[in-house]
Amino acid sequence: MTTDQFQTPSGLWYNPFDLLVLREMHEAGFIKHSDTPFTLKSGIKSNVYVFGREDLTDSPKLEWMVGTKLCDIVHQAATEADQQVCLIGIPTAGTPFAQAAAMVSYHDNTKQPNGQPVCHRIMKEQPKDHGAHKGWINGKPKPTHSYWLVDNVATNGASKPEAREKMRADGYPDPAGVIIWIDRQQGALRRLEEAGLSRVLVAYHLLDVTFAFGEMGLWPKGAVKAVEQEIEAHQFLPNV
């Protein structure tokens, strides 16, 4: 088995570009394994943490690769009916993902099926009570845009419906889609579907990524097995 040809646990075969992205993520410290567990937003403790913050913005090469991958996801998922896809990053980690896709789309002339480049808007952590943009999102919604949410990671998925409520509060339509860079495979996708967010697109699944790290010699195989056990132990079931 070579590092450029292997099947992931979910049955995917990563292409050469994906392997470059994974290697760059590893070099930047995008996903880290620690003997001391991290406490996630969901409340669980995990020995694996997905960053996508300064490790992304400090690495222009990785940021460009992220934008390229996101543009490819949009191109495959969007239709002419989607109008101009406008990505809204869920603050704060999702913001540079949305911006990276817009910059790559413009610079590399990466168009959607309807011929429009990807653009993006900024969602704030807290609404302002001063200035020209007092709501959650900078700017009013445009009927020519199709708004999609994007985030660095999903664990239980709670931040995605929360972001949708902020869009509604500012008069935006519900998101046409949600793009997740890393799904921790702990039930978020089922919960999002239950919440009415059925068009959810995932760039990478955590176990696939860590498995690839092991095959590429970047992580010890024991750490990969620990990730699999952790995913099985912490599953968020749909609300019933």
Side-chain angles (χ1 to χ4, degrees):
M1 181 177 294
T2 64
T3 57
D4 61 354
Q5 187 178 9
F6 53 81
Q7 192 172 24
T8 68
S10 65
L12 296 176
W13 291 86
Y14 283 145
N15 62 40
F17 178 75
D18 285 316
L19 294 178
L20 288 174
V21 173
L22 298 187
R23 188 172 294 276
E24 199 65 29
M25 282 200 293
H26 176 264
E27 292 297 323
F30 194 104
I31 300 175
K32 290 185 178 180
H33 183 275
S34 171
D35 292 334
T36 302
F38 303 93
T39 301
L40 307 182
K41 181 181 178 181
S42 59
I44 71 170
K45 293 186 181 296
S46 173
N47 294 99
V48 179
Y49 195 84
V50 178
F51 286 85
R53 292 174 173 80
E54 76 283 355
D55 48 291
L56 175 66
T57 56
D58 279 354
S59 175
K61 179 180 179 181
L62 176 57
E63 195 165 2
W64 195 265
M65 296 172 104
V66 166
T68 300
K69 178 71 174 181
L70 291 175
C71 284
D72 182 61
I73 291 173
V74 168
H75 182 78
Q76 293 185 45
T79 66
E80 292 187 4
D82 281 309
Q83 301 177 306
Q84 182 175 13
V85 169
C86 181
L87 299 180
I88 300 177
I90 297 178
T92 56
T95 300
F97 285 81
Q99 184 174 8
M103 294 299 98
V104 168
S105 181
Y106 172 76
H107 186 274
D108 290 356
N109 200 30
T110 304
K111 307 293 187 180
Q112 303 165 221
N114 62 11
Q116 296 290 329
V118 175
C119 61
H120 79 108
R121 288 279 176 93
I122 303 293
M123 178 181 284
K124 299 187 285 287
E125 289 188 274
Q126 295 293 334
K128 298 191 301 183
D129 58 3
H130 63 280
H133 303 292
K134 298 181 181 180
W136 291 101
I137 303 170
N138 289 344
K140 300 295 183 182
K142 290 185 176 181
T144 55
H145 285 177
S146 175
Y147 294 99
W148 298 42
L149 292 170
V150 61
D151 207 1
N152 65 325
V153 67
T155 303
N156 65 358
S159 62
K160 286 60 173 172
E162 291 172 3
R164 179 182 58 186
E165 293 307 309
K166 294 173 183 178
M167 293 176 66
R168 289 174 174 176
D170 276 9
Y172 278 72
D174 283 359
V178 179
I179 303 177
I180 297 167
W181 186 254
I182 300 286
D183 173 31
R184 292 185 63 102
Q185 298 173 270
Q186 293 174 240
L189 301 189
R190 287 174 294 170
R191 290 170 65 96
L192 292 179
E193 183 176 4
E194 182 192 48
L197 294 168
S198 57
R199 195 181 189 185
V200 180
L201 309 168
V202 175
Y204 299 104
H205 298 284
L206 181 61
L207 186 56
D208 287 348
V209 172
T210 55
F211 176 84
F213 283 175
E215 295 300 310
M216 297 163 72
L218 304 175
W219 274 26
K221 296 294 181 70
V224 177
K225 184 63 177 178
V227 172
E228 181 180 6
Q229 294 171 343
E230 182 178 301
I231 289 174
E232 293 176 353
H234 298 288
Q235 285 292 312
F236 293 91
L237 299 177
N239 297 315
V240 293

